[in-house]
Amino acid sequence: MIITIDGPAGAGKSSVAKLLARRLGFRFLDTGAMYRAVALSGMREGLDWDRPGDLAELAGRIELRVEGERIFLDGEDVSAAVRATEVTAVTRYAADNPAVRAQLVALQRRAAAGQNIVSEGRDQGTVAFPDAECKIFLTAGPEERARRRLNELLAKNEPVTLEQVLAAQNRRDREDAGRRVGPLLPATDAVEVPTDGLSLEEVVAKLEAIAREKMRN
Ligand code: DC
C-alpha cells in the first residue's frame, strides 16, 4: 500500500510521515531530500544554475540511494548536509527542472515498488503515485507554519526572527505553487487535514485512523 503525504513547507509532513510509517511498519520516503541531494551535488560541482541541461545530466550520473530516513549520494551519507541553509537556497534549481523531476519520480517509483510506503513531498499524490490507495494533503496556516519553523531554528541556535522565517516561507510557497511541472496541488482524491493547533501526536493519530480505514477496505 502507498500512502502519500503532500503539503506546503512547514506543515509538518516529515515528522508526521516518519512517525506514521513507524506506527504502521511501512517504509518512509522523503522525496524533498532527493531534490536537495541533486542540488547539493550541483553545488559541489560548481554548476552554472543557468544551464538546466547540466543539472539534468548530473542527476542522471549520480547515484542516489534512500535507506529508511537516510539519503546517500554516491555512497556518502548526506542526510544532514542536504538540510543546510545554503542547500535549501538552491534546491529550487533541481525542483524546477522538468528533466530532473522525471528522473526523481522514476527513482521514487522504483523505491516504492512492491513496498508498503509512506511517501512525503509536493507531487506524490498527483504525479508520482496517482493510484496511491491513501492520499493526505497536510495544511496549516502561514503563521502557524512559520512559528513551528522558527522554534526549530531557535532550538538549533540560528538567530532568526519570525518576520524572516515568514518571508522565506512566502517565497517557497510561491515557488511550490508556480512550478510548471509537479506544482504543489492536492490530488482530487486526497483527504485534506488541517493541523493548526494540533500536536504531532494528534495529527499522526488522525492519519493513522484514515490509513487503517483505507487498509480495511
Ligand atoms: O520538503 P523539503 O523542504 O525537503 O523540499 C525541498 C524542496 O524540494 C522544496 O523546495 C520543494 C521541493 N520538492 C518538490 O518539488 N517535490 C517533491 N516531491 C518534494 C520536494
Side-chain angles (χ1 to χ4, degrees), residues 31-42 49 52 55-56 58-59 87-104 179 181:
T31 64
M34 294 178 174
Y35 289 94
R36 288 168 176 273
V38 170
L40 172 67
S41 182
W49 298 118
L55 189 61
L58 176 70
V87 178
T88 304
V90 293
T91 297
R92 68 187 163 92
Y93 294 107
D96 289 346
N97 188 314
V100 170
R101 295 201 76 87
Q103 295 183 49
L104 293 189
R179 193 162 290 131
V181 177

Side-chain angles (χ1 to χ4, degrees), residues 128-146:
F129 304 108
D131 298 328
E133 293 88 344
C134 178
K135 299 183 185 178
I136 308 287
F137 196 78
L138 219 54
T139 64
E143 291 278 340
E144 168 112 8
R145 291 192 280 128

Side-chain angles (χ1 to χ4, degrees), residues 9-11 85 88 141-155 158-174:
T85 312
T88 304
E143 291 278 340
E144 168 112 8
R145 291 192 280 128
R147 253 194 313 275
R148 287 177 190 170
R149 181 81 188 126
L150 179 69
N151 289 336
E152 275 172 25
L153 292 172
L154 292 179
E158 291 200 25
V160 285
T161 64
L162 182 62
E163 288 67 33
Q164 287 168 328
V165 173
L166 251 177
Q169 180 179 283
N170 288 339
R171 197 166 53 240
R172 288 183 72 194
D173 282 354
R174 277 197 303 277

Side-chain angles (χ1 to χ4, degrees), residues 2-17:
I2 295 179
I3 300 174
T4 61
I5 303 185
D6 293 305
K13 297 186 299 294
S14 284
S15 326
V16 166

Side-chain angles (χ1 to χ4, degrees), residues 8-9 11 14-15 23 41 45 53 57 66 70 76 90 94-95 109 128 132 156 183-184 192 194 201 211:
S14 284
S15 326
R23 293 257 172 100
S41 182
E45 296 233 345
E57 187 271 326
V66 185
R70 313 219 69 81
E76 176 193 348
V90 293
R109 290 181 183 151
K156 286 199 267 179
L184 175 65
E192 195 157 328
E201 175 52 43

